[in-house]
């Protein structure tokens, strides 16, 4: 904290009238995935791969003399670095220069505190600035994976930033291209275009998210198992690592999963996808990659899962091994079948998490009695959590859990509301409720921007009474 304040004062010594307004900030970005270099402070011991990122900014003339850029989320390692632990350089070898590497920007004076980058620019003149840096991903849940060389690397803006944006959180990309080695699988949250020179670029016209995020997975750690479910193709990438000897921090021999376990996983995938296809027949999802690994925190309390929407058709899902044993894998797959960007609609957590958790449990427990028990257990779990029980899903602005205390809004999002949805669906008729969700999603897909009130209207039009609807709204 002290350090950040110090650097801010440094910037002020330039006599900033105003930082360059990042609004309308244009950039291109080129990303090369390379082998990690052992001489870097994190280096090859932790990560087998490193990003080399080059961002080019065209700065229009503006009457100010500092360009302020930022990485939005401080990661664990970045925080250590900002606190003076230089060994944890998540972004080694940064260089700020002009397009041709020449003056005035080569070796120019700039300040960077791990999050905020300030670069002096000439006032009233158009400028070009190139920023080059190496980058290591902060995540793949450090404990189980890092000692063995990190199979899955995440470059995700939601978790920690990996590229620079303007100080208002925006940057307009004109081109984003990647150079990926054959040794890794590459999953990005958007349609990619294969270029003649062997690189892939992101189809920015189709890109629906504010941020660009991607994962890479080292192929040598995974056994591919293709599964076909009707017209749907699914590639199962099962981890070959035996993690029982993680404590020794040495690479462990590759282990083959027993055939019976592989057959069981294939059978489960088939069952889940068939059910989801039945629930959402209009969905365009038809190609999946499901990658499993040990993505758990050290204390085994939290496991990681993620759905990456590569297009309406193609999705990748990353799961911890424990996700096979509860509705968590199903949850990630529901995200793929209901693939909408909910960021910009109201009642966001209702639609993008609680409703998805409801469907995950609905599908995972086909037996009505088991299903009722599962939702009842959710309510009980919620009731036993610490904290205020009267907070509505509409009042929360963040979906989180504090991994130490267990506090957070996760109880409302993943336990209370899905259970209330189940009660409501049973009361008005499950099929009627599911039909309303399908109608709502159709409107989203058609580019409409329906809100929660529209959802209520669809239900009332289908015969649900005003009183039942209002009672439901109050209950969540
Ligand atoms: Zn989710």
């Amino acid at each position: 904290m002290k350090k950040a304040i110090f650097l801010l004062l440094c910037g002020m010594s330039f006599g900033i009238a105003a930082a360059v307004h990042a609004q309308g900030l244009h950039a291109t970005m080129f990303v090369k995935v390379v082998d990690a270099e052992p001489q870097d402070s994190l280096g090859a011991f932790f990560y087998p791969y490193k990003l080399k990122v080059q961002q080019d900014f065209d700065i229009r003339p503006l009457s100010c003399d500092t360009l302020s850029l930022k990485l939005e989320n401080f990661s664990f390692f970045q925080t250590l670095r900002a606190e003076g632990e230089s060994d944890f350089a998540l972004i080694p070898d940064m260089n700020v220069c002009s397009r041709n590497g020449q003056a005035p920007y080569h070796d120019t004076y700039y300040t960077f505190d791990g999050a905020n980058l300030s670069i002096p620019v000439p006032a009233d003149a158009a400028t070009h600035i190139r920023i080059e840096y190496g980058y290591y991903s902060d995540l793949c849940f450090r404990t189980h994976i890092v000692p063995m060389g990190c199979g899955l690397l995440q470059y995700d803006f939601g978790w920690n930033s990996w590229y620079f944006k303007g100080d208002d959180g925006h940057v307009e990309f004109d081109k984003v291209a990647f150079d990926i080695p054959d040794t890794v699988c590459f999953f990005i949250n958007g349609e990619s275009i294969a270029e003649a020179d062997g690189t892939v670029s992101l189809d920015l016209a189709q890109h629906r998210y504010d941020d660009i995020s991607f994962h890479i997975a080292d192929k040598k750690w995974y056994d591919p198992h293709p599964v076909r479910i009707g017209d749907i193709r699914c590639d199962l990438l099962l981890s070959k690592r035996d993690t029982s000897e993680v404590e020794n921090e040495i690479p462990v021999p590759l282990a083959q999963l027993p055939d019976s376990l592989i057959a069981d996983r294939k059978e489960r995938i088939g069952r889940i996808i068939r059910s989801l296809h039945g629930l959402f027949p209009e969905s365009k999802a038809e190609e999946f990659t499901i990658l499993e690994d040990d993505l758990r925190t050290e204390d085994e309390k939290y496991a990681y899962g993620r759905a990456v929407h590569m297009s309406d058709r193609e999705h990748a899902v990353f799961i911890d091994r424990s996700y096979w044993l509860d509705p968590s894998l199903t949850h990630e797959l529901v995200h793929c079948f209901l693939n909408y960007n909910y960021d910009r609609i109201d009642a966001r957590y209702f639609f993008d998490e609680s409703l998805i958790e409801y469907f995950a449990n609905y599908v995972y427990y086909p037996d009505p009695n088991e299903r009722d028990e599962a939702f009842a257990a959710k309510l009980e779990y919620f009731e036993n959590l610490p904290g205020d029980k009267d907070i509505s899903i509409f009042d929360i602005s963040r979906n989180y859990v504090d991994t130490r205390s267990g506090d957070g809004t996760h109880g409302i999002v993943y336990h209370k509301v899905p259970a209330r949805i189940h009660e409501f669906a049973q009361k008005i008729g499950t099929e009627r409720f599911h039909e309303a969700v399908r109608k709502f999603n159709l409107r989203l897909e058609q580019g409409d921007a329906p809100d929660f009130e529209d959802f209520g209207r669809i239900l009332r039009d289908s015969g649900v009474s005003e009183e039942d609807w209002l009672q439901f709204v109050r209950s969540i």
Side-chain angles (χ1 to χ4, degrees):
M1 200 63 198
K2 261 186 203 143
K3 179 111 175 177
I5 291 165
F6 170 70
L7 285 165
L8 179 66
L9 291 170
C10 269
M12 285 170 75
S13 70
F14 285 115
I16 315 168
V20 168
H21 231 318
Q23 199 108 91
L25 187 65
H26 274 261
T28 60
M29 182 156 67
F30 182 68
V31 183
K32 191 175 168 70
V33 177
V34 297
D35 286 343
E37 292 148 32
Q39 65 269 28
D40 288 339
S41 51
L42 285 173
F45 176 74
F46 284 112
Y47 299 122
Y49 295 103
K50 169 185 178 176
L51 296 191
K52 283 195 161 196
V53 187
Q54 181 182 294
Q55 270 185 277
D56 283 294
F57 291 91
D58 281 313
I59 316 297
R60 289 174 306 177
L62 283 167
S63 50
C64 52
D65 54 14
T66 302
L67 172 65
S68 298
L69 301 171
K70 69 172 180 182
L71 296 173
E72 274 186 324
N73 309 302
F74 253 40
S75 71
F76 174 70
F77 283 126
Q78 283 167 311
T79 308
L80 286 179
R81 186 168 190 253
E83 288 168 356
E85 300 279 346
S86 57
D87 279 353
F88 293 96
L90 193 71
I91 304 181
D93 50 61
M94 191 156 82
N95 182 32
V96 177
C97 58
S98 58
R99 200 190 310 261
N100 55 11
Q102 299 299 308
Y105 287 109
H106 189 59
D107 286 335
T108 193
Y109 179 79
Y110 62 86
T111 58
F112 180 54
D113 63 1
N116 302 290
L117 174 64
S118 298
I119 307 167
V121 292
D124 302 321
T127 313
H128 177 271
I129 288 175
R130 170 169 291 180
I131 305 167
E132 296 169 325
Y133 53 96
Y135 193 94
Y136 291 109
S137 167
D138 192 15
L139 158 86
C140 16
F141 279 5
R142 296 169 273 276
T143 53
H144 283 74
I145 303 231
V146 164
M148 295 179 301
C150 210
L152 178 66
L153 296 177
Q154 169 168 299
Y155 298 92
D156 183 347
F157 232 89
W159 201 289
N160 57 273
S161 312
W162 63 275
Y163 62 86
F164 287 96
K165 290 180 160 189
D167 62 354
D168 65 350
H170 293 287
V171 60
E172 187 82 34
F173 281 112
D174 299 320
K175 176 150 180 114
V176 177
F178 294 84
D179 186 351
I180 310 291
D182 292 340
T183 48
V184 300
C185 306
F186 175 64
F187 307 100
I188 187 160
N189 68 340
E191 225 57 78
S192 47
I193 304 161
E195 302 283 355
D197 63 1
T199 61
V200 287
S201 62
L202 187 60
D203 186 348
L204 292 162
Q206 306 284 336
H207 200 254
R208 285 191 282 157
Y209 302 94
D210 290 337
D211 297 312
I212 298 163
S213 60
F214 67 96
H215 291 68
I216 56 176
D218 204 335
K219 284 179 186 169
K220 73 169 180 282
W221 295 117
Y222 303 97
D223 253 341
H225 295 277
V227 187
R228 236 200 136 89
I229 307 122
D231 290 337
I232 294 177
R233 288 220 319 266
C234 180
D235 251 330
L236 212 49
L237 297 177
L238 301 179
S239 173
K240 288 197 276 194
R241 283 172 293 173
D242 175 357
T243 51
S244 55
E245 298 202 38
V246 167
E247 283 71 32
N248 298 330
E249 296 199 358
I250 50 164
V252 292
L254 301 185
Q256 206 78 39
L257 275 183
D259 285 348
S260 58
L261 220 52
I262 295 169
D264 178 69
R265 279 162 168 50
K266 286 183 168 180
E267 195 268 325
R268 278 169 196 263
I269 284 289
R271 191 154 22 100
I272 296 166
I273 287 186
R274 263 190 294 274
S275 304
L276 289 175
H277 193 60
L279 274 171
F280 309 110
E282 299 90 359
S283 168
K284 297 189 180 78
E286 57 180 33
E287 229 177 297
F288 295 90
T289 302
I290 297 169
L291 180 150
E292 66 144 51
D293 213 315
D294 283 341
L295 304 172
R296 267 165 287 169
T297 52
E298 191 172 21
D299 55 13
E300 303 278 330
K301 259 168 85 179
Y302 298 97
Y304 171 75
R306 183 67 186 267
V308 177
H309 308 304
M310 299 162 77
S311 71
D312 287 344
R313 217 172 31 76
E314 194 182 356
H315 304 268
V317 166
F318 308 106
I319 54 162
D320 179 65
R321 279 178 171 165
S322 64
Y323 275 37
W324 293 101
L325 308 173
D326 63 25
S328 304
L329 166 63
T330 316
H331 177 107
E332 300 307 329
L333 288 168
V334 181
H335 271 299
C336 304
F337 277 83
L338 299 179
N339 167 30
Y340 304 107
N341 183 3
Y342 298 98
D343 289 5
R344 296 185 192 91
I345 64 174
D346 74 335
R348 181 199 157 168
Y349 294 120
F350 174 84
F351 287 109
D352 84 345
E353 286 303 317
S354 298
L355 196 58
I356 277 163
E357 181 65 6
Y358 160 75
F359 279 114
N361 281 267
Y362 181 85
V363 166
Y364 187 81
Y365 298 104
D367 178 87
N369 293 326
E370 275 183 50
R371 188 184 288 154
D372 286 348
E373 277 170 32
F375 282 112
K378 274 188 175 296
L379 262 194
E380 198 184 319
Y381 176 92
F382 171 71
E383 294 299 340
N384 288 321
L385 282 175
D388 191 350
K389 292 288 162 312
D390 294 328
I391 300 171
S392 150
I393 184 113
F394 306 111
D395 292 334
I396 62 177
S397 57
R398 206 152 69 91
N399 174 20
Y400 74 104
V401 59
D402 182 321
T403 50
R404 271 162 301 212
S405 66
D407 283 355
T409 50
H410 66 112
I412 300 166
V413 175
Y414 297 105
H415 297 277
K416 178 184 83 167
V417 178
R420 297 284 186 225
I421 292 173
H422 178 62
E423 286 173 2
F424 178 61
Q426 284 186 313
K427 186 173 177 181
I428 64 164
T430 304
E431 202 28 61
R432 191 202 304 265
F433 183 77
H434 292 181
E435 186 54 35
V437 173
R438 283 190 285 268
K439 278 192 176 139
F440 184 77
N441 285 325
L442 202 62
R443 286 189 54 184
L444 275 169
E445 198 184 358
Q446 286 161 348
D448 231 358
D451 57 17
F452 189 74
E453 248 320 297
D454 292 319
F455 184 57
R457 217 162 285 132
I458 292 170
L459 277 161
R460 290 193 299 266
D461 287 349
S462 76
V464 174
S465 74
E466 182 78 19
E467 193 190 326
D468 282 351
W469 167 247
L470 289 177
Q471 196 181 19
F472 169 62
V473 174
R474 279 194 296 271
S475 78
I476 59 173

mmCIF file of all heavy atoms in Angstrom, residues 305-307 331-332 335 352-354 356-357 399 414, ligand 1:
data_model
loop_
_atom_site.group_PDB
_atom_site.id
_atom_site.type_symbol
_atom_site.label_atom_id
_atom_site.label_comp_id
_atom_site.label_asym_id
_atom_site.label_seq_id
_atom_site.Cartn_x
_atom_site.Cartn_y
_atom_site.Cartn_z
ATOM 1 N N GLY A 305 -13.636 -24.834 -11.369
ATOM 2 C CA GLY A 305 -14.236 -25.274 -12.627
ATOM 3 C C GLY A 305 -14.525 -24.059 -13.476
ATOM 4 O O GLY A 305 -14.712 -22.964 -12.960
ATOM 5 N N ARG A 306 -14.579 -24.265 -14.783
ATOM 6 C CA ARG A 306 -14.786 -23.114 -15.652
ATOM 7 C C ARG A 306 -15.301 -23.565 -17.003
ATOM 8 O O ARG A 306 -14.850 -24.568 -17.528
ATOM 9 C CB ARG A 306 -13.440 -22.392 -15.833
ATOM 10 C CG ARG A 306 -13.517 -21.142 -16.659
ATOM 11 C CD ARG A 306 -14.329 -20.127 -15.902
ATOM 12 N NE ARG A 306 -14.577 -18.924 -16.676
ATOM 13 C CZ ARG A 306 -13.812 -17.838 -16.625
ATOM 14 N NH1 ARG A 306 -12.763 -17.817 -15.864
ATOM 15 N NH2 ARG A 306 -14.125 -16.784 -17.314
ATOM 16 N N ALA A 307 -16.266 -22.829 -17.544
ATOM 17 C CA ALA A 307 -16.704 -23.074 -18.919
ATOM 18 C C ALA A 307 -16.178 -21.936 -19.781
ATOM 19 O O ALA A 307 -16.303 -20.776 -19.420
ATOM 20 C CB ALA A 307 -18.230 -23.125 -18.987
ATOM 21 N N HIS A 331 -23.101 -28.384 -13.825
ATOM 22 C CA HIS A 331 -23.225 -26.925 -13.749
ATOM 23 C C HIS A 331 -22.450 -26.264 -14.891
ATOM 24 O O HIS A 331 -22.982 -25.400 -15.602
ATOM 25 C CB HIS A 331 -22.706 -26.443 -12.389
ATOM 26 C CG HIS A 331 -22.701 -24.958 -12.214
ATOM 27 N ND1 HIS A 331 -23.598 -24.296 -11.411
ATOM 28 C CD2 HIS A 331 -21.907 -24.004 -12.755
ATOM 29 C CE1 HIS A 331 -23.353 -22.991 -11.472
ATOM 30 N NE2 HIS A 331 -22.321 -22.783 -12.282
ATOM 31 N N GLU A 332 -21.197 -26.666 -15.077
ATOM 32 C CA GLU A 332 -20.388 -26.048 -16.141
ATOM 33 C C GLU A 332 -20.998 -26.337 -17.516
ATOM 34 O O GLU A 332 -20.965 -25.486 -18.402
ATOM 35 C CB GLU A 332 -18.938 -26.547 -16.091
ATOM 36 C CG GLU A 332 -18.200 -26.242 -14.779
ATOM 37 C CD GLU A 332 -18.238 -24.773 -14.376
ATOM 38 O OE1 GLU A 332 -18.280 -23.915 -15.269
ATOM 39 O OE2 GLU A 332 -18.263 -24.496 -13.159
ATOM 40 N N HIS A 335 -23.873 -24.081 -18.335
ATOM 41 C CA HIS A 335 -23.360 -22.795 -18.846
ATOM 42 C C HIS A 335 -23.195 -22.838 -20.366
ATOM 43 O O HIS A 335 -23.399 -21.840 -21.043
ATOM 44 C CB HIS A 335 -21.989 -22.491 -18.231
ATOM 45 C CG HIS A 335 -22.056 -21.736 -16.938
ATOM 46 N ND1 HIS A 335 -22.613 -20.495 -16.829
ATOM 47 C CD2 HIS A 335 -21.616 -22.059 -15.692
ATOM 48 C CE1 HIS A 335 -22.516 -20.084 -15.574
ATOM 49 N NE2 HIS A 335 -21.923 -21.006 -14.861
ATOM 50 N N ASP A 352 -27.394 -16.098 -14.344
ATOM 51 C CA ASP A 352 -26.203 -16.801 -14.804
ATOM 52 C C ASP A 352 -25.642 -17.785 -13.780
ATOM 53 O O ASP A 352 -24.810 -18.607 -14.125
ATOM 54 C CB ASP A 352 -25.121 -15.844 -15.320
ATOM 55 C CG ASP A 352 -24.242 -15.285 -14.227
ATOM 56 O OD1 ASP A 352 -24.613 -15.398 -13.061
ATOM 57 O OD2 ASP A 352 -23.181 -14.730 -14.551
ATOM 58 N N GLU A 353 -26.065 -17.735 -12.549
ATOM 59 C CA GLU A 353 -25.531 -18.719 -11.608
ATOM 60 C C GLU A 353 -26.620 -19.518 -10.879
ATOM 61 O O GLU A 353 -26.584 -20.733 -10.862
ATOM 62 C CB GLU A 353 -24.575 -18.056 -10.603
ATOM 63 C CG GLU A 353 -23.217 -17.695 -11.230
ATOM 64 C CD GLU A 353 -22.493 -18.891 -11.841
ATOM 65 O OE1 GLU A 353 -22.469 -19.968 -11.213
ATOM 66 O OE2 GLU A 353 -21.975 -18.766 -12.959
ATOM 67 N N SER A 354 -27.581 -18.838 -10.276
ATOM 68 C CA SER A 354 -28.584 -19.579 -9.492
ATOM 69 C C SER A 354 -29.434 -20.483 -10.381
ATOM 70 O O SER A 354 -29.690 -21.644 -10.061
ATOM 71 C CB SER A 354 -29.483 -18.608 -8.729
ATOM 72 O OG SER A 354 -28.721 -17.858 -7.808
ATOM 73 N N ILE A 356 -28.609 -21.646 -13.232
ATOM 74 C CA ILE A 356 -27.748 -22.705 -13.766
ATOM 75 C C ILE A 356 -27.510 -23.783 -12.708
ATOM 76 O O ILE A 356 -27.543 -24.979 -13.007
ATOM 77 C CB ILE A 356 -26.455 -22.076 -14.332
ATOM 78 C CG1 ILE A 356 -26.790 -21.600 -15.743
ATOM 79 C CG2 ILE A 356 -25.298 -23.063 -14.332
ATOM 80 C CD1 ILE A 356 -25.889 -20.632 -16.368
ATOM 81 N N GLU A 357 -27.336 -23.363 -11.472
ATOM 82 C CA GLU A 357 -27.166 -24.344 -10.391
ATOM 83 C C GLU A 357 -28.456 -25.145 -10.182
ATOM 84 O O GLU A 357 -28.427 -26.328 -9.875
ATOM 85 C CB GLU A 357 -26.737 -23.626 -9.101
ATOM 86 C CG GLU A 357 -26.507 -24.522 -7.901
ATOM 87 C CD GLU A 357 -25.339 -25.490 -8.052
ATOM 88 O OE1 GLU A 357 -24.608 -25.411 -9.044
ATOM 89 O OE2 GLU A 357 -25.187 -26.350 -7.154
ATOM 90 N N ASN A 399 -20.365 -12.004 -6.409
ATOM 91 C CA ASN A 399 -20.568 -13.427 -6.142
ATOM 92 C C ASN A 399 -19.236 -13.994 -5.684
ATOM 93 O O ASN A 399 -18.332 -14.153 -6.481
ATOM 94 C CB ASN A 399 -21.040 -14.085 -7.450
ATOM 95 C CG ASN A 399 -21.132 -15.590 -7.333
ATOM 96 O OD1 ASN A 399 -21.217 -16.132 -6.229
ATOM 97 N ND2 ASN A 399 -21.110 -16.272 -8.463
ATOM 98 N N TYR A 414 -25.726 -19.989 -4.744
ATOM 99 C CA TYR A 414 -25.660 -21.412 -5.108
ATOM 100 C C TYR A 414 -26.513 -22.327 -4.226
ATOM 101 O O TYR A 414 -26.651 -23.500 -4.532
ATOM 102 C CB TYR A 414 -24.210 -21.906 -5.077
ATOM 103 C CG TYR A 414 -23.347 -21.208 -6.091
ATOM 104 C CD1 TYR A 414 -22.439 -20.228 -5.706
ATOM 105 C CD2 TYR A 414 -23.475 -21.505 -7.450
ATOM 106 C CE1 TYR A 414 -21.662 -19.570 -6.645
ATOM 107 C CE2 TYR A 414 -22.703 -20.851 -8.393
ATOM 108 C CZ TYR A 414 -21.793 -19.888 -7.987
ATOM 109 O OH TYR A 414 -21.044 -19.234 -8.917
HETATM 110 ZN ZN1 LIG B 1 -21.321 -21.048 -12.914
#
